[in-house]
Amino acid sequence: MKKKLLFIQPSMQFGGAEKSLQTLLRLLDFDKYDVDLLLFRPEGEFLKLLPKEVNLLSLPADAQTFAQPIVSACLSFLKQGKASLALDRLRFSKAVRKDGSVRMREQYGWQYQKRAFGTLSENYDAAIAYLEGAPIYFCADCVRAKKKIAYIHNDYSKLQMDRSFDSAYFEKMDALVVVSEECAVSLRSNFPQYKEKVRVIENIIFPGILRTQADAQADFGDDFGGLRLLTVGRLDEQKGIDLGIQACAKLADKADFRWYVLGEGPEREKLEQMIRDNHLENRFILLGTRLNPYPYLRACDVYVQPSRFEGKSIALEEAKCLGKPILTTAFTTVADQITDGVNGSVAQIDSEDIARRLSELLFHGEIRQKYTQALQNYSGNTEELEKFYDLLI
């Protein structure tokens, strides 16, 4: 008999965890597993890439109402005679405006949000919360499953979350999955009482699919003949796009290059203003999201990852698969992926050093060639799929 699995994720918008999930789902053996997917927001570019075997669940009606603007939600609940849910919606709105990080506000709001979700009717063999935060809380409070698995895709120490809040939920999980050894060290340090639950399963990179998709044409929107730099990631503080703009400004008059960014996010307006302020409109270009970023990755001359922190960067792994010269920053988990001077360059997390190390790559083709050569036999990590299957036993 097939095992019944539930995956829980906020959405399938363009992002590392979302890309990781769609890759995992495409590789699953559907002869052995029936798969449901619950999204808090059923939207995103990666929805188009989900296998037809994945059953996308609808949110409960109360949860859909709860997600509406506060006035609409409260009026709707009151009309239905659900005054307690209207009160929860008011309390939720107040909780998510408290002082603290965005992730802490998500935690504080969950206690008022969870009743709107209720409990799913299905009984599962395993429920997998594929991202830290609300998916884990939903998995613990709203799902019946023989086994509950939580993924934490980042270095927990960088997430600015309330550890005591998470501790109560981690206790209800059978396994806490992280995507790199450095992330495992961080999680065990923050939660030594759960260190036996921590498992390392890297984000799966499947070179065959990636290289086939990379054969399409990249449309950069220009006929530029110089060196092309590429960054792939959300436009938010974590990804350090602002550091990239500052570094670009330092080199703009010294080399013939253009720097392109694939991604969207909350900092677009801020970053666009930085680009204008530094007169980089024809030098640093925000292309938005692309469902297939791999032709752009294949066509670029240097891949740059200016992140402030990462769990394990999928974009770096994909650049390695395509043999791209890489410049990345020294976020805490980078040593799991790049050895400075061997298969890429590692800069400090500041624009001055990013510019210095980038200059080396722009002016010294032999360094770029050295990094490409070092990655010739890189074959991805599809063996990680077996580690996931082992969790389900």
Side-chain angles (χ1 to χ4, degrees):
M1 179 180 288
K2 290 185 181 181
K3 286 190 173 183
K4 185 76 172 177
L5 307 182
L6 171 69
F7 289 85
I8 306 150
Q9 179 77 353
S11 75
M12 291 302 288
Q13 293 284 13
F14 187 87
E18 292 81 2
K19 181 181 288 188
S20 172
L21 177 56
Q22 67 90 14
T23 300
L24 174 59
L25 291 174
R26 290 173 72 179
L27 295 174
L28 278 183
D29 185 348
F30 290 103
D31 290 331
K32 296 180 179 178
Y33 302 102
D34 285 325
V35 176
D36 286 348
L37 172 62
L38 186 135
L39 302 175
F40 297 150
R41 300 183 308 280
E43 61 190 25
E45 296 88 345
F46 291 126
L47 277 175
K48 302 172 186 176
L49 299 179
L50 293 178
K52 66 181 187 307
E53 292 90 349
V54 174
N55 177 40
L56 189 61
L57 299 181
S58 297
L59 282 176
D62 285 343
Q64 294 183 43
T65 301
F66 200 96
Q68 295 175 8
I70 183 169
V71 174
S72 300
C74 289
L75 286 176
S76 182
F77 282 136
L78 290 172
K79 288 178 181 177
Q80 298 174 56
K82 298 177 179 179
S84 61
L85 285 177
L87 183 58
D88 282 344
R89 183 63 179 86
L90 288 169
R91 288 171 171 166
F92 171 84
S93 182
K94 183 178 179 180
V96 297
R97 292 198 300 268
K98 284 183 177 180
D99 292 338
S101 69
V102 171
R103 292 179 180 273
M104 281 185 183
R105 294 196 293 271
E106 178 185 45
Q107 290 176 305
Y108 302 151
W110 175 253
Q111 62 185 312
Y112 305 114
Q113 187 178 17
K114 63 184 179 182
R115 284 204 317 120
F117 284 101
T119 301
L120 297 185
S121 59
E122 186 72 58
N123 289 294
Y124 292 93
D125 292 290
I128 303 100
Y130 208 72
L131 192 68
E132 59 273 2
I136 295 176
Y137 314 147
F138 180 92
C139 185
D141 290 338
C142 305
V143 179
R144 289 187 289 258
K146 295 175 183 175
K147 184 168 285 190
K148 295 188 177 184
I149 299 164
Y151 270 71
I152 296 93
H153 278 268
N154 282 291
D155 177 345
Y156 189 89
S157 297
K158 306 292 186 183
L159 290 177
Q160 297 181 296
M161 301 182 82
D162 183 331
R163 283 188 299 173
S164 62
F165 187 96
D166 275 340
S167 181
Y169 282 95
F170 289 174
E171 185 176 2
K172 300 175 183 179
M173 298 293 113
D174 296 286
L176 303 172
V177 178
V178 292
V179 296
S180 73
E181 292 293 344
E182 286 293 332
C183 287
V185 170
S186 175
L187 196 65
R188 290 181 182 124
S189 174
N190 280 280
F191 300 95
Q193 68 273 40
Y194 303 131
K195 62 182 181 181
E196 299 302 322
K197 293 185 179 185
V198 177
R199 303 286 185 274
V200 178
I201 302 179
E202 297 177 2
N203 291 315
I204 299 171
I205 304 299
F206 194 71
I209 294 175
L210 190 155
R211 290 168 183 153
T212 298
Q213 290 179 307
D215 286 338
Q217 184 69 33
D219 181 10
F220 287 96
D222 58 37
D223 56 359
F224 181 64
L227 295 176
R228 297 189 193 269
L229 281 54
L230 183 71
T231 296
V232 180
R234 275 178 53 79
L235 307 184
D236 61 22
E237 184 180 16
Q238 174 186 348
K239 299 300 181 181
I241 309 300
D242 57 318
L243 299 177
I245 294 172
Q246 294 166 13
C248 182
K250 298 176 191 300
L251 295 174
D253 297 328
K254 301 176 182 178
D256 187 23
F257 70 94
R258 285 186 181 175
W259 192 332
Y260 305 85
V261 178
L262 295 182
E264 284 294 349
E267 289 206 332
R268 173 175 270 276
E269 289 187 12
K270 170 189 169 182
L271 298 174
E272 288 176 335
Q273 187 61 53
M274 285 186 67
I275 291 168
R276 289 191 293 269
D277 290 346
N278 287 280
H279 309 291
L280 297 173
E281 291 89 341
N282 294 318
R283 182 75 73 169
F284 199 99
I285 300 160
L286 305 180
L287 289 175
T289 58
R290 298 291 188 274
L291 186 60
N292 181 7
Y294 305 121
Y296 297 84
L297 192 51
R298 172 164 282 173
C300 77
D301 297 287
V302 179
Y303 181 77
V304 188
Q305 189 75 38
S307 299
R308 289 182 168 88
F309 67 93
E310 293 281 350
K312 185 161 188 177
S313 170
I314 296 176
L316 279 185
E317 292 301 300
E318 292 172 339
K320 287 163 65 176
C321 279
L322 293 177
K324 293 288 106 177
I326 291 168
L327 171 63
T328 182
T329 44
F331 49 84
T332 55
T333 60
V334 74
D336 287 336
Q337 299 181 271
I338 299 294
T339 301
D340 188 30
V342 176
N343 62 349
S345 292
V346 180
Q348 296 304 306
I349 306 175
D350 67 71
S351 60
E352 194 72 39
D353 203 45
I354 293 171
R356 182 179 71 84
R357 301 302 299 270
L358 181 56
S359 178
E360 294 173 355
L361 287 173
L362 292 174
F363 287 106
H364 296 281
E366 71 276 12
I367 299 178
R368 301 197 302 272
Q369 182 59 36
K370 172 186 174 182
Y371 293 161
T372 294
Q373 190 65 35
L375 295 168
Q376 284 300 302
N377 298 318
Y378 185 69
S379 58
N381 61 351
T382 51
E383 68 277 2
E384 298 299 296
L385 182 60
E386 293 303 320
K387 295 183 183 178
F388 176 78
Y389 286 150
D390 287 345
L391 280 182
L392 307 178
I393 296 174

